[in-house]
Amino acid sequence: MEDVVIRAEKLGKLYRIGQRHQYATLRDLIVHSLSAPFRWFNRNHQSSNLNSQSHSFIWALKDVSFEVKRGEVIGIIGRNGAGKSTLLKILARITEPTEGYAEVRGRVGSLLEVGTGFHPELTGRENIYLSGAILGMKKREIDKKFDEIVAFSELEKFIDTPVKYYSSGMYVRLAFAVAAHLDPEILLVDEVLAVGDAAFQKKCLGKMGDVAKEGRTVLFVSHNMAAIENLCSKAIVLEEGHIIYFGNVQKAITTYLQMAQSNISKDEVKRTNRRGNGKVRLVDFWVEVAGERRSVIRCGEDVEFVFKYDSQDSERLKNVVFYFAFHDAFTHQMLTVLSNRHVGQLTQPLPPKGELRCLIRRFPLAPGRYIVSPRLDVNNEVADWLMLPEGIGMIDVEVGDFYGTGVSVGIGGFAPFLTLGEWSVKGE
């Protein structure tokens, strides 16, 4: 029991749609602290009243309960809008829960959003000392860590510049360096690492691994499944504010990827990864091999990708340009993109409803799992674009006889793409 450093009990966070944040005055803070004994009753009373007007409110979190022990590294995964960032904000005491409670034992370092945590008018140097003081550290303790923080951030030339002049990448470099080096007992890290370049992201992941080895607790929100798999001992899967799984990392990743594979027509309203004017919508997606729908394909097969679209307009669609990209499901690296424009096809006006089909002969991706992310442009405007992290769905590629030699391509030791080559030798 003594090893539990984070305990959440029936956490809930309710947001009013369209509500503006009200900044508190000193008078508000005094009244807030004096009213603390009555807040539990008011909160529960308010929750019951708001439930009767649920059309104006949304639960970012609901009935979330879990425990984290000292030294555990917990990944938090889920689709956009699942409640991941809200959970970390509650644990960091940035946001107050609407119901339930979270007990956190230990000094917390957090990196949650670009733009939070630092005072924009202060220099990088001054913000390092300010952050340390907020964590309860003495000046001599911060002095010992200062050079290490600056070296890690690689911002020696700008350390005496006000952070309001920093780029988002520079800000994240310094913010992560401060959060990771000022000896927090609990480190909370959100997806903001995506702002940095690839080399710095790798550096940050290495540092989080070091923090975990030192016996400190880490909660890590990410869409990078490879990072979750390599760093975390357990993982939480959130969906619509609820925990749907907490436990083994591999099972958590499988659960998340299976969720993301659901039919988009069932998820039309709730999707948060969709962009475009909506005049034409992609409403379904599937894969066919020899005319049969398949959930799993083999490398080397002829595979047809089918995207069903719908338009409210009765007239034919002009100037249609369709793209779809394949991304690695774990790293989100884009591997390739196909488009009718590249090959000069589908140049004629298209029916207002139908299926866009693309046949890929001898499918060249090596065994693995991939995200399909499509974009549909009509008359030089983006009509529908299903972006990462979910895209429109997933495909699983299994071992297959890509080369037609009877030698199947295995899962390990291959680059993402398989390519045919003609071999010869010329003697001297």
Side-chain angles (χ1 to χ4, degrees), residues 1 7 9 49 76 79 91 95 106 135 149 151 165 176 192 211 219 277 279 292 317 330 341 345 350-351 392 398 413:
M1 205 63 159
R7 179 182 291 108
E9 286 288 341
N49 287 340
I76 303 176
R79 297 191 283 185
L91 297 179
T95 298
L135 285 172
I149 291 170
Y165 298 117
F176 182 87
V192 289
V211 168
L219 268 67
N277 59 29
K279 293 180 180 178
E292 294 184 358
L317 307 176
F330 289 88
R341 185 178 69 174
Q345 297 176 355
L350 303 184
I392 197 170
E398 289 187 342

Side-chain angles (χ1 to χ4, degrees), residues 155-335:
L155 293 173
E156 292 90 344
K157 294 181 180 179
F158 308 99
I159 201 63
D160 290 309
T161 301
V163 298
K164 67 181 180 181
Y165 298 117
Y166 284 15
S167 68
S168 59
M170 293 167 66
Y171 198 106
V172 166
R173 283 174 178 269
L174 186 60
F176 182 87
V178 168
H181 286 82
L182 289 183
D183 293 333
E185 294 164 294
I186 299 168
L187 181 61
L188 309 177
V189 183
D190 205 343
E191 190 68 79
V192 289
L193 289 182
V195 176
D197 57 64
F200 188 71
Q201 287 180 40
K202 186 176 180 180
K203 190 175 179 180
C204 291
L205 293 172
K207 181 60 182 176
M208 281 195 284
D210 294 341
V211 168
K213 289 175 185 175
E214 293 167 6
R216 289 182 273 169
T217 305
V218 181
L219 268 67
F220 179 42
V221 168
S222 181
H223 286 114
N224 186 331
M225 295 300 109
I228 293 288
E229 186 175 28
N230 292 330
L231 279 177
C232 302
S233 53
K234 293 181 181 178
I236 293 172
V237 183
L238 283 172
E239 175 71 358
E240 296 182 1
H242 296 268
I243 291 180
I244 62 172
Y245 181 78
F246 180 26
N248 177 271
V249 174
Q250 289 289 350
K251 187 172 180 181
I253 291 173
T254 300
T255 300
Y256 166 66
L257 294 176
Q258 286 174 345
M259 282 189 331
Q261 207 169 3
S262 60
N263 188 323
I264 66 164
S265 61
K266 299 176 183 177
D267 237 0
E268 187 80 19
V269 179
K270 297 176 184 176
R271 275 187 169 267
T272 57
N273 68 323
R274 171 166 254 153
R275 301 292 183 271
N277 59 29
K279 293 180 180 178
V280 185
R281 288 286 199 189
L282 296 166
V283 295
D284 205 352
F285 161 71
W286 65 89
V287 174
E288 293 181 7
V289 176
E292 294 184 358
R293 291 198 189 193
R294 293 265 290 273
S295 57
V296 178
I297 59 179
R298 295 184 179 89
C299 56
E301 290 185 314
D302 293 345
V303 182
E304 193 161 26
F305 289 79
V306 185
F307 303 84
K308 187 175 181 179
Y309 68 91
D310 192 0
S311 168
Q312 301 303 316
D313 200 334
S314 59
E315 296 185 6
R316 296 179 73 83
L317 307 176
K318 299 178 181 178
N319 301 320
V320 173
V321 179
F322 185 66
Y323 310 83
F324 69 101
F326 293 102
H327 301 259
D328 185 284
F330 289 88
T331 66
H332 287 186
Q333 178 185 1
M334 182 187 287
L335 302 175

